[in-house]
């Protein structure tokens, strides 16, 4: 079941909220149990066998966590605790690997070695990557002593809470359970008002913005996969168009998740902060999928960096930091863990070479960005002058880098990705729709004179795509984001309750805002029913 479906908005959500508030009036415990049951129904709706797949994993992870808790209380050695943790991580990685990567591995072996392994075509359980990372983080936190106690009910509501179940954010037990323990489980007009505003803002982004540009962009990728030769303008439309599609798709989902959680008195962590406004690739990853960045940094990059640093220091080699950083230290202590971490990020996103190369490319982007910061500090001592130059220059460079990499993320094959990349640098020529050449005259002669050729794409689709890209670019870059509009009401965990920088559009529980949100909701609901799915829903 998806958040933008009629059955969710008109059946599941009202029934879940009604049951939660009615039970919460007399018993918090039963209200939370109702929420667990509703989350299981939500997970099973599309494919009931999903529950039979995920339930054993939840039970095994709960049992391993209880063992770790007992070992931490003095019933075992540190070595035994680490062994249980490694067993838990191995189980979760194997579980994820079987469902998500077995066909990719088999097809790769077939292609490289000429084998004839049978592809199983396993249907991926919903949100398996998000759930797996969340369970691994929980085991690590228990083993490290950051989680002191938990019950089966606590664990189930942490893992299964439906607003963040299928596409994040990736949450920590210690930031969620205190909220569930403190929740009144009763109707609260502020929470409901904020929740509906977030929900309908997100739904509008998804079904009006993302879903309307998708049909215009998809044919370009299909053209690249079918025959290639994608021209310069079409290739850039494909790159920028898909970047905007996934931007509003994921931003819309994140807003809806925040709104749905708020109905229950829960604030999820911020997961999206206008990343296309970033002026560096480092800044981009602090704004895009923020909880994934937090997970990758805390559970992969930092431990790897610590191990490598200790290893270098034990050999008497210098560490990393300061103006005197050596090339060897930079490569070993920054480039290597960064590339490995982003390789994991790419592989986590999908079982395909495009995702892997997308992750590796971002790893090299980040490495270059960190390296530039070290060099720039020496070459450009005037900090204010540096900022004045680098803010616009960095924004352009970051935007081009991000959109170019998205071609790898979206393309169905590496061949089509290479074709689009060639088109983006002009190797496939520059072309315009045939309509520009249908009427002989100065324009047609000029276009032919500079090497522009005609192609079969209709002038209507060309114009629609250009208009949609322009509109969505304006919204993404110039308009306040949802969390800025609702900042006064702390719409996400970690977002300070403060006045927005855009006071004219600051949300409040007033009649004008009620009318505006109603109009947005009506437009969004009227757009439901066409081809649509959240791009992150099976990650």
């Amino acid at each position: 079941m998806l958040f933008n479906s009629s059955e969710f908005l008109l059946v599941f959500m009202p029934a879940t909220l009604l049951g939660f508030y009615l039970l919460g009036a007399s018993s918090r415990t039963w209200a939370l149990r109702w929420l667990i049951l509703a989350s299981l129904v939500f997970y099973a709706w599309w494919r009931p066998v999903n529950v039979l797949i995920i339930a054993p994993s939840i039970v095994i992870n709960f049992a391993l966590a209880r063992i770790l808790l007992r070992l931490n209380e003095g019933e075992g050695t540190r070595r035994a605790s680490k062994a249980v943790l490694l067993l838990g991580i191995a189980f979760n990685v194997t579980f994820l690997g079987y469902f998500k990567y077995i066909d990719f591995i088999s097809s790769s072996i077939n292609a490289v070695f000429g084998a004839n392994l049978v592809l199983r075509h396993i249907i991926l359980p919903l949100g398996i990557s998000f759930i797996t990372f969340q369970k691994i983080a929980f085991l690590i936190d228990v083993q490290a002593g950051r989680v002191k106690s938990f019950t089966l009910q606590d664990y189930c509501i942490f893992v299964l809470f439906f607003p963040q179940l299928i596409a994040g954010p990736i949450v920590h037990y210690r930031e969620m359970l205190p909220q569930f323990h403190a929740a009144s489980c009763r109707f609260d007009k502020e929470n409901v008002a904020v929740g509906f505003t977030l929900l309908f803002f997100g739904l509008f982004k998804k079904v009006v913005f993302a879903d309307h540009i998708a049909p215009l962009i998809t044919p370009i990728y299909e053209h690249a996969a079918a025959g290639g030769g994608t021209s310069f303008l079409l290739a850039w439309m494909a790159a920028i168009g898909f970047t905007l599609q996934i931007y509003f798709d994921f931003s819309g989902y994140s807003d809806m998740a925040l709104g749905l959680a708020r109905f229950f008195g829960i604030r999820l962590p911020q997961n999206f902060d206008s990343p296309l406004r970033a002026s560096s690739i480092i800044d981009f990853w602090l704004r895009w999928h923020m909880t994934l960045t937090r997970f990758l940094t805390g559970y992969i990059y930092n431990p790897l960096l610590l191990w490598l640093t200790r290893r270098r220091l034990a050999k008497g080699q210098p560490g990393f930091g300061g103006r005197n950083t050596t090339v060897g230290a930079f490569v070993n202590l920054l480039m290597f863990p960064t590339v490995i971490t982003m390789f994991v990020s790419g592989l986590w996103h999908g079982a395909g070479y495009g995702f892997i190369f997308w992750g590796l490319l971002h790893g090299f982007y980040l490495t270059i960005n960190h390296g530039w910061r070290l060099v720039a500090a020496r070459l450009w001592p005037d900090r204010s002058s540096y900022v004045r130059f680098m803010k616009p220059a960095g924004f352009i460079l970051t935007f081009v880098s991000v959109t170019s990499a998205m071609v790898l993320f979206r393309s169905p094959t590496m061949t089509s990705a290479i074709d689009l990349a060639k088109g983006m640098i002009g190797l496939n020529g520059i072309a315009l729709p045939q309509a520009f050449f249908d009427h002989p005259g100065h324009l047609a002669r000029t276009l032919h004179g500079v090497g522009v050729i005609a192609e079969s794409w209709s002038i209507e689709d060309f114009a629609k795509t250009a208009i949609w890209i322009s509109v969505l670019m304006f919204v993404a870059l110039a308009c306040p984001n949802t969390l800025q509009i609702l900042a006064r009401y702390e719409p996400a965990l970690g977002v300070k309750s403060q006045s927005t920088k855009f006071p004219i559009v600051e949300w409040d529980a007033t009649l004008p805002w009620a009318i505006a949100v109603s109009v947005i909701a009506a437009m969004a609901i009227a757009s439901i029913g066409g081809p649509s799915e959240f791009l992150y829903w099976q990650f």
Side-chain angles (χ1 to χ4, degrees):
M1 193 187 314
L2 298 178
F3 293 167
N4 58 322
S5 63
S6 299
E7 58 266 25
F8 177 84
L9 293 169
L10 302 179
V11 179
F12 177 83
M13 186 180 76
T16 300
L17 291 176
L18 181 62
F20 182 79
Y21 292 141
L22 288 176
L23 289 170
S26 57
S27 172
R28 288 184 66 262
T29 300
W30 280 105
L32 294 175
R33 289 174 180 173
W34 169 260
L35 188 53
I36 294 171
L37 177 63
S39 296
L40 285 170
V41 172
F42 172 83
Y43 195 71
W45 189 277
W46 173 61
R47 191 166 171 257
V49 74
N50 278 338
V51 173
L52 299 179
I53 293 172
I54 208 70
S57 173
I58 291 174
V59 171
I60 291 170
N61 274 276
F62 176 77
L64 290 170
R66 296 298 299 181
I67 294 171
L68 286 171
L69 200 61
R70 287 199 298 271
L71 291 173
N72 283 353
E73 292 171 352
E75 298 181 16
T77 64
R78 190 69 178 168
R79 182 175 294 180
S81 179
K82 286 185 177 179
V84 174
L85 174 61
L86 291 175
L87 177 64
I89 293 174
F91 167 75
N92 283 291
V93 171
T94 302
F95 183 83
L96 175 63
Y98 174 77
F99 285 100
K100 189 165 185 175
Y101 303 108
I102 189 67
D103 276 356
F104 172 64
I105 294 171
S106 298
S107 61
S108 298
I109 292 174
N110 289 344
V112 174
F113 299 104
N116 194 27
L117 298 178
V118 177
L119 302 184
R120 299 173 182 270
H121 300 295
I122 297 171
I123 298 177
L124 197 64
L126 287 173
I128 186 171
S129 296
F130 288 92
I131 296 170
T132 300
F133 269 19
Q134 202 158 299
K135 289 185 293 188
I136 289 174
F138 180 76
L139 291 176
I140 293 173
D141 287 348
V142 172
Q143 197 268 344
R146 291 188 285 266
V147 176
K148 303 295 184 182
S149 64
F150 57 91
T151 65
L152 179 60
Q153 177 173 306
D154 290 339
Y155 186 73
C156 286
I157 201 165
F158 163 67
V159 173
L160 294 170
F161 186 46
F162 77 86
Q164 53 85 46
L165 181 61
I166 62 171
I170 300 170
V171 298
H172 290 304
Y173 182 89
R174 59 187 181 277
E175 69 188 359
M176 296 301 294
L177 261 295
Q179 293 191 71
F180 282 112
H181 290 160
S184 67
C185 300
R186 295 171 182 266
F187 178 87
D188 180 276
K189 61 182 180 181
E190 180 180 301
N191 284 339
V192 171
V194 173
F196 271 120
T197 302
L198 287 165
L199 177 69
F200 289 127
F201 276 6
L203 183 64
F204 185 88
K205 289 179 184 179
K206 167 58 183 169
V207 299
V208 175
F209 288 162
D211 287 352
H212 277 79
I213 197 172
L216 300 170
I217 300 303
T218 299
I220 307 176
Y221 285 92
E222 292 174 346
H223 167 76
T230 310
S231 64
F232 179 80
L233 290 176
L234 282 186
W236 275 105
M237 281 182 166
I240 297 174
F242 177 71
T243 300
L244 291 168
Q245 180 194 346
I246 196 171
Y247 177 96
F248 284 102
D249 184 283
F250 192 36
S251 174
Y253 173 87
S254 298
D255 287 350
M256 294 182 78
L258 290 172
L260 290 165
R262 190 62 173 261
F263 287 139
F264 305 101
I266 304 299
R267 288 176 172 86
L268 293 176
Q270 185 180 7
N271 208 26
F272 204 85
D273 186 22
S274 301
L276 292 185
R277 300 177 192 173
S279 57
S280 72
I281 204 71
I282 295 172
D283 187 27
F284 174 81
W285 277 103
L286 293 174
R287 294 166 172 260
W288 175 275
H289 211 329
M290 296 158 69
T291 58
L292 175 63
T293 300
R294 180 179 67 174
F295 177 92
L296 294 171
T297 302
Y299 296 103
I300 297 178
Y301 179 84
N302 286 343
L304 183 57
L305 175 61
L306 181 61
W307 177 73
L308 291 169
T309 300
R310 287 173 174 171
R311 193 176 173 196
R312 278 184 65 86
L313 294 177
K315 294 179 179 179
Q317 297 173 326
F320 177 82
R323 291 175 175 265
N324 297 320
T325 299
T326 64
V327 174
F330 180 84
V331 170
N332 282 283
L333 301 182
L334 193 143
M335 178 178 175
F336 180 72
T338 298
V339 172
I340 291 297
T341 301
M342 295 311 296
F343 167 78
V344 173
S345 173
L347 194 60
W348 176 86
H349 276 90
Y353 293 111
F355 294 109
I356 293 172
F357 283 109
W358 173 83
L360 290 172
L361 184 57
H362 271 277
F364 286 112
Y365 283 167
L366 288 165
T367 300
I368 293 168
N369 196 172
H370 281 289
W372 168 249
R373 288 188 173 184
L374 289 174
V375 173
R378 301 176 185 178
L379 300 180
W380 213 317
D382 185 349
R383 185 66 185 171
S384 60
S385 172
Y386 171 81
V387 171
R388 281 197 305 272
F389 174 79
M390 280 306 301
K391 191 164 186 180
F395 163 75
I396 294 171
L397 185 59
T398 301
F399 184 81
V400 170
S401 299
V402 168
T403 53
S404 300
M406 280 297 182
V407 168
L408 288 166
F409 196 97
R410 171 61 179 84
S411 297
T413 64
M414 285 303 297
T415 302
S416 59
I418 292 170
D419 174 71
L420 285 164
K422 288 167 63 179
M424 291 170 72
I425 60 176
L427 295 182
N428 292 334
I430 301 175
L432 286 171
Q434 179 64 47
F436 283 96
F437 302 88
D438 285 343
H439 304 289
H442 179 70
L443 176 60
R445 289 194 301 271
T446 302
L447 292 174
H448 279 302
V450 296
V452 178
I453 60 175
E455 64 181 346
S456 59
W457 207 26
S458 73
I459 188 67
E460 291 82 8
D461 286 343
F462 183 87
K464 281 183 185 178
T465 306
I467 291 170
W468 270 107
I469 287 176
S470 300
V471 170
L472 298 189
M473 284 287 288
F474 174 79
V475 174
L477 300 179
C479 297
N481 64 41
T482 309
L483 300 192
Q484 289 171 326
I485 293 172
L486 287 116
R488 180 190 296 179
Y489 293 88
E490 195 180 352
L493 190 65
V495 174
K496 304 284 187 185
S497 180
Q498 60 185 3
S499 179
T500 176
K501 292 184 291 185
F502 305 90
I504 196 171
V505 291
E506 185 177 83
W507 184 87
D508 206 350
T510 61
L511 180 59
W513 265 112
I515 295 172
V517 173
S518 298
V519 171
I520 289 170
M523 292 174 65
I525 292 172
S527 299
I528 292 174
S532 173
E533 73 175 21
F534 284 101
L535 298 177
Y536 268 75
W537 78 300
Q538 281 199 333
F539 289 167

